[in-house]
Amino acid sequence: MNKRVLLLFSVISIFLFTSCFEFVEEVTFNKDGSGSAVLTINLSKSKTKLASIMLLDSINGYKVPSKVTIRKKVQEIVSKIKGTKGVHNVKNTLDFNEFIVTVSCDFDNVEALNEVIANFSSKKHIEAIKKNKHFTFNEKSKTFTRSHHFDLGKEFRKTKNQDRKVFETATYTSVYRFETPIKSTENNQARISKSKKAIMLHLQAQDIIANKQTIKNKIQLEN
């Protein structure tokens, strides 16, 4: 399986042992484009199975990473984020009881946020992320855009059939919060809150891979 496709690629191997995981992307934006972000990988629904697997050396031909290895890889990513210009208050949690990983930070602008996302990816994809920009915010037009450049379907087709089961019940959720009310959204699967200051997108991973749904969105804020 191409582990570089997903965030936290260095610990993604534990996903190969369970198809029930959630990736949650929460970003709060201020009017000037600064804000805070929390990225979460939640495997708690499979915690009993994972706890048993962590006792093994390997499974299905894959080496089971130790807790020490996982902590080391997560800390490497966190250290890179801490060294990113325009990023502050970096924190992370790694819960081996519930199998939940979180990384959070404050950022000065969306350029810094894009740098944060790049730190989760392989060297091969860093420049592409920086060039394509997963996040943009036009302060003048009050437009926020979420994009991505990975062809998940192409990467998925490279995987073994047994590894594809990883995505059977996997989900992606994004929650974006703004100080200014949301006027419109281009992604028809996204849901605007009653306050109009938050928007959520919840998708099945298989739908994203099959290009039936997309995480891309363009959000127009009120002037």
Side-chain angles (χ1 to χ4, degrees), residues 108-122:
D108 290 344
N109 46 54
V110 289
E111 286 74 20
L113 179 58
N114 283 318
E115 290 284 344
V116 170
I117 298 300
N119 283 319
F120 286 111
S121 300
S122 65

Side-chain angles (χ1 to χ4, degrees), residues 14-121:
I14 58 178
F15 288 2
L16 297 173
F17 316 134
T18 175
S19 63
C20 192
F21 71 89
E22 302 172 295
F23 177 73
V24 183
E25 177 183 279
E26 297 179 78
V27 186
T28 300
F29 289 92
N30 301 320
K31 291 181 179 180
D32 62 357
S34 64
S36 61
V38 181
L39 304 176
T40 303
I41 293 177
N42 185 343
L43 297 93
S44 61
K45 292 182 180 179
S46 300
K47 63 182 180 181
T48 301
K49 181 180 179 181
L50 286 170
S52 298
I53 290 172
M54 291 294 290
L55 300 175
L56 304 176
D57 291 326
S58 63
I59 185 172
N60 297 335
Y62 293 97
K63 180 177 175 58
V64 178
S66 67
K67 292 181 181 180
V68 172
T69 297
I70 295 173
R71 286 194 183 97
K72 180 180 178 182
K73 294 300 182 181
V74 172
Q75 284 305 314
E76 287 177 359
I77 294 172
V78 171
S79 294
K80 289 180 180 179
I81 294 174
K82 287 182 176 179
T84 302
K85 183 179 179 181
V87 176
H88 318 280
N89 195 30
V90 181
K91 299 178 182 178
N92 83 283
T93 63
L94 182 54
D95 185 341
F96 282 110
N97 292 318
E98 296 296 323
F99 287 92
I100 299 174
V101 183
T102 69
V103 177
S104 64
C105 67
D106 297 332
F107 54 88
D108 290 344
N109 46 54
V110 289
E111 286 74 20
L113 179 58
N114 283 318
E115 290 284 344
V116 170
I117 298 300
N119 283 319
F120 286 111
S121 300

Side-chain angles (χ1 to χ4, degrees), residues 179-196:
E179 290 184 330
T180 303
I182 298 168
K183 183 178 180 180
S184 64
T185 173
E186 287 193 354
N187 190 317
N188 59 16
Q189 295 298 310
R191 296 293 177 262
I192 300 173
S193 68
K194 290 182 179 180
S195 69
K196 294 187 177 182

